[in-house]
Amino acid sequence: IAGPDGMAFDSEGNLYVTVVQQGDITVLGPDGSVKERQEIDGTFPTNVAFARPGERRVLVTEGSRNQLLMLATAAAGLPLYA
C-alpha cells in the first residue's frame, strides 16, 4: 500500500496530504505545486488534522510506529464549518 491518505486545508488554501510509504506530509499550494515536504518519524502517515482553531500545527497519525505526531505549520487550519 502506498499513496495519499488523509488531507486537510489551511487558512491560506494549502492542502496538507499524508502519503503512505513516503515518510512525509506533502503540502500543496492552491495552484497544485508542491510547496513543502515535512518529514516525519515513520513511513506510514495515515491522517492529518489541524489542532484547535487559530493554532499553527497539525496532528498526524503514524502507523509504522503507532504514534501521534504534532508538527508546526505556517498557517492555521481552515475552519471545518462556517
Side-chain angles (χ1 to χ4, degrees):
I1 297 174
D5 194 1
M7 300 178 194
F9 281 100
D10 72 13
S11 60
E12 297 177 358
N14 299 306
L15 180 62
Y16 289 67
V17 182
T18 59
V19 184
V20 175
Q21 298 299 340
Q22 190 165 291
D24 66 30
I25 307 305
T26 300
V27 182
L28 303 172
D31 64 355
S33 65
V34 175
K35 292 185 71 175
E36 179 183 6
R37 293 187 191 272
Q38 292 186 350
E39 289 188 28
I40 63 163
D41 181 25
T43 60
F44 209 88
T46 58
N47 198 14
V48 60
F50 278 86
R52 296 179 196 160
E55 292 185 7
R56 294 180 177 194
R57 56 188 177 164
V58 290
L59 301 167
V60 178
T61 56
E62 196 289 313
S64 70
R65 297 178 184 222
N66 297 320
Q67 54 189 344
L68 179 62
L69 306 171
M70 188 176 301
L71 305 171
T73 60
L78 184 68
L80 293 177
Y81 303 100

